[in-house]
Amino acid sequence: MGEETRLRYRFLDLRRPEMAEKLRLRSRMTTSIRRFLDENGFLDVETPILTRATPEGARDYLVPSRTHAGSFFALPQSPQLFKQLLMVAGFDRYYQIAKCFRDEDLRADRQPEFTQIDIETSFLDEKEIMGLTEQMIRNLFKEVLDLEFGEFPHMTFEEAMRRYGSDKPDLRNPLELVDVADQLKDVDFKVFSGPANDPKCRIAALRVPGGASMPRKQIDDYTKFVGIYGAKGLAYIKVNERANGVDGLQSPIVKNIPEANLNTILDRVGAVDGDIVFFGADKAKIVSEALGALRIKLGHDLNLLTCEWAPMWVVDFPMFEENDDGSFSALHHPFTAPKCSPQELEANPAGALSRAYDMVLNGTELGGGSIRIHRKEMQQAVFRLLGINEAEQEEKFGFLLDALKYGAPPHGGLAFGLDRLVMLMTGAQSIREVIAFPKTQSAADVMTQAPGVVDAKALRELHIRLRETPKAE
């Protein structure tokens, strides 16, 4: 039966024991989380659903105001600013299982409304917040699935991107990316020598044990796959018999690389007879994304995963990412504190690290958080670097800057995606399987036929006039 039919008759679909069991497990999970946070002195506080638009990365869902003509509320993408204001108000341990809304472009496994386990606390540093929330997740897995995790390993953003091509690496997968640009700077092969001599580029190798038996069609399929991420091709070397030197290697590229450099590369990646080594050479972002995605695909296709669960923390994220036009965007959000002073931040924004941290499980980001900015001058410095001038700061964030002026305690927090967490813990293939009444991939509800048309009277009361669509000739 097709998913759309199941969603249209969801009230019948939920009668199936496997569907009912997922919702029961979801309920047990939220009960466990609430109990843990209550026992640790956290206060459950509800924050507004009708609020105002703030720049958090995605598009807001807008709600027209009948009583304020021409003005709109926004549905919250997260309770971010309200929970920070609760810290200013003196509630030093807050939590909420909150509904959040994002009007994102269509993606396979995103919902326009989703549920977040939202946590904020004052006077704790990164280490303490990570320790507390890790304890909560370990307690949850023990209570609900009877699984015991050890301490979660920590890895910097830089190391995660270098070794795994992702800021949410799946550590069940043993494959790693290895940088080899230093061996290809002087080769007579522009595909390699160009990126090898460009500081904004990267050349990485990915060794696949036993992959030399891979047929050409499979290699072609993987080449098409990395093309999705912007890669222009996928070079490879099949290692048939290393003892025979270049003659023991099978690849169209070996003739362009001196034998000494080839041997250094193969030694560095740990290649032995029967392996295949894939190469990516391009802008650093493209290589990391393409080979990082290929690593995940190979891990699943070739059954390389070494364990069932691999939780971890990723730390030391950059404060900003640079856009093509040289401007900056916040990597997390504009309220994340940097690891430096306002003066150092403005002197070198591209090199600044943030006090942010993400919890990752099996290659999925479970939750992300940070220590927040609690001083007005630092918040204004970040706004300036993001191109938000003083007038716009006052118009959009005057209430926050006022609150910081009156004295805010050092504070930080973290938010977990509940739907994704339930999906992982139930083994479901999609988050739609663990939400009672989800939307389709096109953000519609086929059961209630939402969104729907509104009559002219209701639109007039909201001071809205619809444009007429031109009639087809």
Side-chain angles (χ1 to χ4, degrees), residues 462-473:
L462 292 169
H463 320 284
I464 288 175
R465 183 186 297 136
L466 297 180
R467 277 189 191 156
E468 284 189 26
T469 49
K471 290 175 182 167
E473 291 184 10

PDB file of all heavy atoms in Angstrom, residues 462-473:
ATOM      1  N   LEU A 462      -8.555  39.802   7.332  1.00  0.00           N
ATOM      2  CA  LEU A 462      -7.100  39.742   7.551  1.00  0.00           C
ATOM      3  C   LEU A 462      -6.349  40.765   6.699  1.00  0.00           C
ATOM      4  O   LEU A 462      -5.115  40.771   6.684  1.00  0.00           O
ATOM      5  CB  LEU A 462      -6.590  38.331   7.242  1.00  0.00           C
ATOM      6  CG  LEU A 462      -7.049  37.233   8.205  1.00  0.00           C
ATOM      7  CD1 LEU A 462      -6.719  35.857   7.646  1.00  0.00           C
ATOM      8  CD2 LEU A 462      -6.404  37.418   9.567  1.00  0.00           C
ATOM      9  N   HIS A 463      -7.097  41.588   5.955  1.00  0.00           N
ATOM     10  CA  HIS A 463      -6.502  42.639   5.110  1.00  0.00           C
ATOM     11  C   HIS A 463      -5.606  42.031   4.040  1.00  0.00           C
ATOM     12  O   HIS A 463      -4.538  42.556   3.720  1.00  0.00           O
ATOM     13  CB  HIS A 463      -5.702  43.637   5.973  1.00  0.00           C
ATOM     14  CG  HIS A 463      -6.370  43.979   7.267  1.00  0.00           C
ATOM     15  ND1 HIS A 463      -7.454  44.836   7.322  1.00  0.00           N
ATOM     16  CD2 HIS A 463      -6.140  43.554   8.543  1.00  0.00           C
ATOM     17  CE1 HIS A 463      -7.861  44.926   8.591  1.00  0.00           C
ATOM     18  NE2 HIS A 463      -7.075  44.155   9.349  1.00  0.00           N
ATOM     19  N   ILE A 464      -6.047  40.895   3.486  1.00  0.00           N
ATOM     20  CA  ILE A 464      -5.262  40.196   2.462  1.00  0.00           C
ATOM     21  C   ILE A 464      -6.071  40.107   1.180  1.00  0.00           C
ATOM     22  O   ILE A 464      -7.260  39.778   1.203  1.00  0.00           O
ATOM     23  CB  ILE A 464      -4.880  38.771   2.937  1.00  0.00           C
ATOM     24  CG1 ILE A 464      -3.824  38.848   4.033  1.00  0.00           C
ATOM     25  CG2 ILE A 464      -4.362  37.919   1.789  1.00  0.00           C
ATOM     26  CD1 ILE A 464      -3.468  37.514   4.639  1.00  0.00           C
ATOM     27  N   ARG A 465      -5.407  40.419   0.064  1.00  0.00           N
ATOM     28  CA  ARG A 465      -6.024  40.220  -1.247  1.00  0.00           C
ATOM     29  C   ARG A 465      -5.128  39.286  -2.041  1.00  0.00           C
ATOM     30  O   ARG A 465      -3.912  39.497  -2.107  1.00  0.00           O
ATOM     31  CB  ARG A 465      -6.166  41.555  -1.976  1.00  0.00           C
ATOM     32  CG  ARG A 465      -6.871  41.407  -3.343  1.00  0.00           C
ATOM     33  CD  ARG A 465      -6.873  42.706  -4.140  1.00  0.00           C
ATOM     34  NE  ARG A 465      -7.628  43.736  -3.455  1.00  0.00           N
ATOM     35  CZ  ARG A 465      -7.219  45.009  -3.329  1.00  0.00           C
ATOM     36  NH1 ARG A 465      -6.047  45.373  -3.824  1.00  0.00           N
ATOM     37  NH2 ARG A 465      -7.955  45.898  -2.685  1.00  0.00           N
ATOM     38  N   LEU A 466      -5.715  38.249  -2.629  1.00  0.00           N
ATOM     39  CA  LEU A 466      -4.923  37.294  -3.410  1.00  0.00           C
ATOM     40  C   LEU A 466      -4.744  37.810  -4.826  1.00  0.00           C
ATOM     41  O   LEU A 466      -5.666  38.369  -5.420  1.00  0.00           O
ATOM     42  CB  LEU A 466      -5.621  35.927  -3.454  1.00  0.00           C
ATOM     43  CG  LEU A 466      -5.806  35.205  -2.119  1.00  0.00           C
ATOM     44  CD1 LEU A 466      -6.499  33.871  -2.348  1.00  0.00           C
ATOM     45  CD2 LEU A 466      -4.460  34.978  -1.436  1.00  0.00           C
ATOM     46  N   ARG A 467      -3.561  37.623  -5.373  1.00  0.00           N
ATOM     47  CA  ARG A 467      -3.331  37.940  -6.784  1.00  0.00           C
ATOM     48  C   ARG A 467      -4.064  36.935  -7.642  1.00  0.00           C
ATOM     49  O   ARG A 467      -4.035  35.736  -7.362  1.00  0.00           O
ATOM     50  CB  ARG A 467      -1.840  37.826  -7.103  1.00  0.00           C
ATOM     51  CG  ARG A 467      -1.048  39.043  -6.757  1.00  0.00           C
ATOM     52  CD  ARG A 467       0.341  38.853  -7.334  1.00  0.00           C
ATOM     53  NE  ARG A 467       1.255  39.856  -6.826  1.00  0.00           N
ATOM     54  CZ  ARG A 467       2.559  39.701  -6.776  1.00  0.00           C
ATOM     55  NH1 ARG A 467       3.087  38.557  -7.177  1.00  0.00           N
ATOM     56  NH2 ARG A 467       3.332  40.651  -6.322  1.00  0.00           N
ATOM     57  N   GLU A 468      -4.673  37.418  -8.697  1.00  0.00           N
ATOM     58  CA  GLU A 468      -5.307  36.470  -9.623  1.00  0.00           C
ATOM     59  C   GLU A 468      -4.239  35.825 -10.481  1.00  0.00           C
ATOM     60  O   GLU A 468      -3.342  36.484 -10.985  1.00  0.00           O
ATOM     61  CB  GLU A 468      -6.307  37.209 -10.526  1.00  0.00           C
ATOM     62  CG  GLU A 468      -7.588  37.559  -9.795  1.00  0.00           C
ATOM     63  CD  GLU A 468      -8.646  38.089 -10.752  1.00  0.00           C
ATOM     64  OE1 GLU A 468      -8.597  37.738 -11.953  1.00  0.00           O
ATOM     65  OE2 GLU A 468      -9.500  38.860 -10.304  1.00  0.00           O
ATOM     66  N   THR A 469      -4.334  34.496 -10.626  1.00  0.00           N
ATOM     67  CA  THR A 469      -3.368  33.821 -11.493  1.00  0.00           C
ATOM     68  C   THR A 469      -3.791  34.032 -12.935  1.00  0.00           C
ATOM     69  O   THR A 469      -4.979  33.884 -13.267  1.00  0.00           O
ATOM     70  CB  THR A 469      -3.307  32.311 -11.183  1.00  0.00           C
ATOM     71  OG1 THR A 469      -4.630  31.806 -11.139  1.00  0.00           O
ATOM     72  CG2 THR A 469      -2.637  32.058  -9.853  1.00  0.00           C
ATOM     73  N   PRO A 470      -2.857  34.412 -13.817  1.00  0.00           N
ATOM     74  CA  PRO A 470      -3.218  34.648 -15.221  1.00  0.00           C
ATOM     75  C   PRO A 470      -3.802  33.386 -15.851  1.00  0.00           C
ATOM     76  O   PRO A 470      -3.321  32.281 -15.632  1.00  0.00           O
ATOM     77  CB  PRO A 470      -1.882  35.021 -15.883  1.00  0.00           C
ATOM     78  CG  PRO A 470      -0.823  34.852 -14.866  1.00  0.00           C
ATOM     79  CD  PRO A 470      -1.453  34.556 -13.549  1.00  0.00           C
ATOM     80  N   LYS A 471      -4.882  33.577 -16.618  1.00  0.00           N
ATOM     81  CA  LYS A 471      -5.529  32.427 -17.268  1.00  0.00           C
ATOM     82  C   LYS A 471      -4.692  31.956 -18.453  1.00  0.00           C
ATOM     83  O   LYS A 471      -4.177  32.758 -19.216  1.00  0.00           O
ATOM     84  CB  LYS A 471      -6.929  32.825 -17.757  1.00  0.00           C
ATOM     85  CG  LYS A 471      -7.901  33.043 -16.606  1.00  0.00           C
ATOM     86  CD  LYS A 471      -9.241  33.542 -17.092  1.00  0.00           C
ATOM     87  CE  LYS A 471     -10.149  33.797 -15.898  1.00  0.00           C
ATOM     88  NZ  LYS A 471     -11.333  34.560 -16.259  1.00  0.00           N
ATOM     89  N   ALA A 472      -4.601  30.651 -18.571  1.00  0.00           N
ATOM     90  CA  ALA A 472      -3.847  30.071 -19.699  1.00  0.00           C
ATOM     91  C   ALA A 472      -4.620  30.319 -20.988  1.00  0.00           C
ATOM     92  O   ALA A 472      -5.831  30.141 -21.045  1.00  0.00           O
ATOM     93  CB  ALA A 472      -3.662  28.579 -19.464  1.00  0.00           C
ATOM     94  N   GLU A 473      -3.884  30.732 -22.021  1.00  0.00           N
ATOM     95  CA  GLU A 473      -4.560  31.017 -23.303  1.00  0.00           C
ATOM     96  C   GLU A 473      -4.732  29.746 -24.109  1.00  0.00           C
ATOM     97  O   GLU A 473      -3.909  28.864 -24.080  1.00  0.00           O
ATOM     98  CB  GLU A 473      -3.711  32.020 -24.090  1.00  0.00           C
ATOM     99  CG  GLU A 473      -3.719  33.392 -23.409  1.00  0.00           C
ATOM    100  CD  GLU A 473      -2.969  34.430 -24.225  1.00  0.00           C
ATOM    101  OE1 GLU A 473      -2.607  34.139 -25.381  1.00  0.00           O
ATOM    102  OE2 GLU A 473      -2.751  35.518 -23.706  1.00  0.00           O
TER     103      GLU A 473
END
